[in-house]
Amino acid sequence: MDWKTLIRPEIVQLKAYTVDRKGVRIRLNANESPYPLPESVRRRVLAALETTEFHRYPDPEAKALREVIGEWIGVAENALLLGNGSDELIQIIATTFGEEGGVVLFPEPTFEVYRIAALTLGERPYGIPLTDDWDLPFPEILEAIRRLHPRVIFLSYPNNPTGNCFTREKIEQILQESSGIVVLDEAYFPFSQKTFLPSLGQYDHLLILRTLSKIGMAGLRVGILIGHPALVAEINKVRAPYNVNALSQVAARVILEEWPLIEPQIAQIVAERDRLYRKLQTIPHLTVYPSEANFFLLQCARGGAALWEHLMAEGILVRRYPDHPMLKEMLRVTVGQPEENEVLCQAIHRFCSQE
Ligand SMILES: Cc1ncc(COP(=O)(O)O)c(C=O)c1O
């Protein structure tokens, strides 16, 4: 049997996400927090895991964790839905609101899971290039909304990988014009402190995504969807019953209860981001784009692909985009611990100042 004919061509064309970590000593490729849990919090998590029942399924509604997250964010529990990372929530949103051939719109470049989710569901991903300063292109987006009636619009705020927050008034206008769902993906909110959360009362077609991944819990895979309770109730029908495993439910709850011990790590990352920005700006032949997230997009006049190889040879892993037409020669670097950033800057400097 030729099983290959059973796979849709758009899936055959996709590449699976893999990362070669061999020989890597500094990982700045995935926008994780560079800081491990404080020891006292780690011990509390381990103690809580002792009593977790491994032979039972987890709470399908993750009620205890949702309560803690609701209080932490300041929203009602019935406005929340949790996912196995926001990656899963993106898939669930596209499943709930998309239809075969229906348009899923996003600016480009952006977080690639929006495209992959739409593609794998047989929907029509529709990317519109950002402006030269990485803002939303108007009137192009408004025209596309009027012409194509997208079922879902994804906006990463701040945008991954460009690092900036799009103009607020443009997003407001998109919310007013769109008759489909508008998703504000605020994965990097802890670093930008900019949010559309207060707009939820005004727009019942707005969904907000957050995640615990960027603030020290990437290994737990907990994503957060916030929306109008009636909408959340519909999306909840699509969610697999046990999508957040028992260990993650327990660990995330305990860690968030200790939030005052975690929060200073975010302030450290933000301060280090601003220091790293100033430092990168002094490197010749390097363009660094300003960022309100925990990473920077870099462009090296000496060639991004060669810089990536150079950093890899020094044991520093950063993100590259060899297959993306707009990002071919660009790299994305996550803000690491100060010593890691120092090593990164020195390595980039060595490469960029070669004759
Ligand atoms: C904009 C954006 N959304 C969502 C995610 C995925 O987050 P999670 O780890 O919760 O799946 C990322 C991760 O890089 C991201 O950059």
Side-chain angles (χ1 to χ4, degrees):
M1 180 197 171
D2 186 6
W3 54 266
K4 282 201 172 141
T5 58
L6 298 174
I7 306 174
R8 294 206 317 272
E10 57 269 35
I11 293 180
V12 171
Q13 274 165 21
L14 283 175
K15 272 194 198 159
Y17 183 69
T18 55
V19 181
D20 188 1
R21 295 177 183 169
K22 242 187 291 145
V24 171
R25 62 189 169 112
I26 298 181
R27 274 162 61 176
L28 302 175
N29 65 315
N31 299 344
E32 300 147 325
S33 166
Y35 296 109
L37 284 182
E39 194 45 41
S40 62
V41 181
R42 195 181 170 79
R43 276 201 303 272
R44 263 210 67 196
V45 171
L46 293 177
L49 292 178
E50 286 269 1
T51 55
T52 305
E53 294 189 315
F54 284 36
H55 64 298
R56 300 286 184 201
Y57 281 110
D59 172 5
E61 293 173 82
K63 199 163 165 38
L65 178 57
R66 271 197 304 131
E67 270 169 24
V68 171
I69 289 180
E71 210 165 295
W72 177 60
I73 296 179
V75 294
E77 205 195 305
N78 62 357
L80 283 178
L81 193 131
L82 304 184
N84 185 14
S86 32
D87 282 346
E88 188 198 28
L89 293 171
I90 292 165
Q91 195 83 32
I92 292 176
I93 291 168
T95 309
T96 309
F97 300 102
E99 63 178 359
E100 206 183 327
V103 166
V104 172
L105 187 135
F106 42 83
E108 283 212 282
T110 193
F111 186 49
E112 65 222 304
V113 172
Y114 310 146
R115 172 182 292 280
I116 296 168
L119 209 61
T120 53
L121 288 163
E123 297 162 12
R124 185 177 161 207
Y126 196 89
I128 302 185
L130 290 168
T131 61
D132 288 345
D133 58 351
W134 302 136
D135 201 4
L136 294 170
F138 269 28
E140 289 85 344
I141 287 198
L142 295 182
E143 276 168 12
I145 291 174
R146 288 169 200 147
R147 187 164 48 88
L148 302 167
H149 308 290
R151 310 278 303 188
V152 184
I153 300 174
F154 284 105
L155 301 171
S156 170
Y157 185 80
N159 187 41
N160 175 9
T162 56
N164 59 308
C165 283
F166 303 132
T167 304
R168 212 183 159 87
E169 292 68 35
K170 288 186 174 176
I171 296 177
E172 291 280 354
Q173 209 172 333
I174 290 174
L175 276 162
Q176 280 155 21
E177 296 266 345
S178 174
S179 52
I181 297 293
V182 179
V183 182
L184 261 289
D185 183 346
E186 299 182 355
Y188 301 97
F189 161 76
F191 312 105
S192 73
Q193 290 298 315
K194 292 185 178 168
T195 180
F196 274 80
L197 205 57
S199 305
L200 274 177
Q202 194 181 345
Y203 302 108
D204 57 7
H205 63 311
L206 168 63
L207 292 174
I208 290 181
L209 290 178
R210 299 271 180 93
T211 179
L212 301 186
S213 295
K214 312 298 172 189
I215 51 176
M217 291 169 258
L220 302 186
R221 308 301 296 123
V222 176
I224 303 162
L225 179 149
I226 313 161
H228 196 279
L231 200 60
V232 169
E234 292 303 315
I235 303 169
N236 193 31
K237 297 177 187 170
V238 176
R239 182 181 63 83
Y242 305 112
N243 63 332
V244 181
N245 73 72
L247 304 186
S248 296
Q249 289 191 29
V250 169
R253 180 172 52 73
V254 171
I255 295 168
L256 288 177
E257 282 168 359
E258 300 286 349
W259 182 242
L261 296 175
I262 310 291
E263 207 172 13
Q265 295 184 337
I266 296 171
Q268 263 173 298
I269 294 167
V270 169
E272 191 52 23
R273 172 190 74 196
D274 298 342
R275 195 188 70 84
L276 178 60
Y277 179 65
R278 289 193 295 276
K279 188 120 197 203
L280 287 168
Q281 274 187 312
T282 66
I283 300 178
H285 308 294
L286 189 76
T287 305
V288 46
Y289 294 98
S291 170
E292 298 195 65
N294 65 340
F295 57 82
F296 288 105
L297 189 66
L298 305 178
Q299 184 162 25
C300 175
R302 297 269 160 99
L307 174 58
W308 188 88
E309 296 290 348
H310 169 83
L311 293 175
M312 217 32 194
E314 302 223 5
I316 305 168
L317 179 60
V318 303
R319 185 72 200 271
R320 62 174 166 172
Y321 303 90
D323 301 322
H324 197 297
M326 294 169 82
L327 300 173
K328 256 198 167 71
E329 291 297 331
M330 299 206 196
L331 301 178
R332 191 195 66 197
V333 300
T334 305
V335 178
Q337 293 194 17
E339 316 79 64
E340 296 175 318
N341 299 332
E342 237 7 81
V343 177
L344 173 78
C345 284
Q346 282 166 16
I348 297 179
H349 204 289
R350 264 195 302 280
F351 177 85
C352 287
S353 44
Q354 279 166 20
E355 285 312 319

